[in-house]
Amino acid sequence: MLPSAAPLPPAVPPTLHPTHPGLPALAVRPAWAPCSPCGPDCLPAPGPRAALRVARRLVALTVLLLVALPVLLTGPDPRLFRAVLRAAGVRLRIRGDTTYGTGGVLVVANHLSWIDVVALGALAPVRMIAKREVADWPLIGPIARRTGVLFVDRAGLRGLPRVVAGTAAALRAGATVGVFPEGTTWCGSASGPFRRAPFQAALDAGRPVRPVRIDLALPDGRPTTAGAFVGDETLWDSMLRILRLPRLDCTLTLLPVLPPEGDRRALAAQAERAITSAW
């Protein structure tokens, strides 16, 4: 059964949680480097420790990890990704279409958390483009390596043409490739500009782009930044905050596909407008 089987709560427009300090000046960061102003001030106050809930979910996730690695040798299985979400207390919801498409599709989404990668893979097999550091993350890293993630080094531009070429080749071969064009995570109360390079791969391969909006909310439909993975916090900090919650809802809104037309600047802007205006 598709994860959209559960009834959806009424859409609640997001509310700005904190103020954002703004991007650092170009003088203190490279102009091409992804950067987000989101940090601890964007996150809600710590909730109850919920030690028993956390312990139960950690055991479930550990068992799944032990099961996952052998299973992923034969390829990514959306059922396994859905099981990871359930074990972490995250309920997946789908709005709009229920498939990304076939024959090679570039899936582009806003980026909030490590949850995003698991949620996209829970709908259908997706080869993600991710920063190189993800390969070293517990739980997520081994799964990423097994599912053919295309890793990019954000410390420089030298390897970018190789990633674009590899992405185009995967699209031509009929793969669904996923990328977060913001280049880094934002808390959800604000979002970042889309980088253009991934869209060049879609143009080179002549394959469509599927914009997907990701939202995290409490069970009553209120948006929350509790699931965000931002600033200098560790993956463990983010996971622990989510595991303490009674439940977190992750909604994927699949928006109409965009044809591979025009230049990468126009295609990136079109996808960004589609996602930010999806409410």
Side-chain angles (χ1 to χ4, degrees), residues 149-226:
V149 166
L150 299 165
F151 292 109
V152 58
D153 187 354
R154 299 192 305 176
L157 296 175
R158 196 169 2 180
L160 193 56
R162 177 182 56 81
V163 175
V164 172
T167 302
L171 291 171
R172 292 190 194 99
T176 298
V177 179
V179 65
F180 304 114
E182 290 167 303
T184 189
T185 52
W186 290 63
C187 72
S189 293
S191 58
F194 277 18
R195 304 284 159 165
R196 303 166 194 160
F199 297 90
Q200 186 62 53
L203 292 170
D204 291 346
R207 302 308 305 158
V209 173
R210 167 75 78 173
V212 176
R213 178 178 173 118
I214 302 175
D215 290 289
L216 300 176
L218 300 175
D220 61 7
R222 286 181 296 150
T224 181
T225 60

Side-chain angles (χ1 to χ4, degrees), residues 33-107:
C35 184
S36 167
C38 298
D41 289 343
C42 298
L43 301 174
R49 297 187 65 85
L52 183 59
R53 179 185 298 140
V54 171
R56 185 174 64 250
R57 289 175 174 175
L58 282 175
V59 169
L61 287 169
T62 300
V63 171
L64 274 173
L65 178 59
L66 295 175
V67 172
L69 294 182
V71 170
L72 289 174
L73 286 173
T74 61
D77 188 336
R79 292 174 299 179
L80 181 58
F81 288 88
R82 291 197 289 270
V84 169
L85 291 176
R86 285 194 299 269
V90 179
R91 179 167 63 173
L92 181 63
R93 296 180 176 276
I94 307 298
R95 293 185 187 272
D97 291 341
T98 56
T99 63
Y100 297 127
T102 58
V105 180
L106 182 69
V107 174

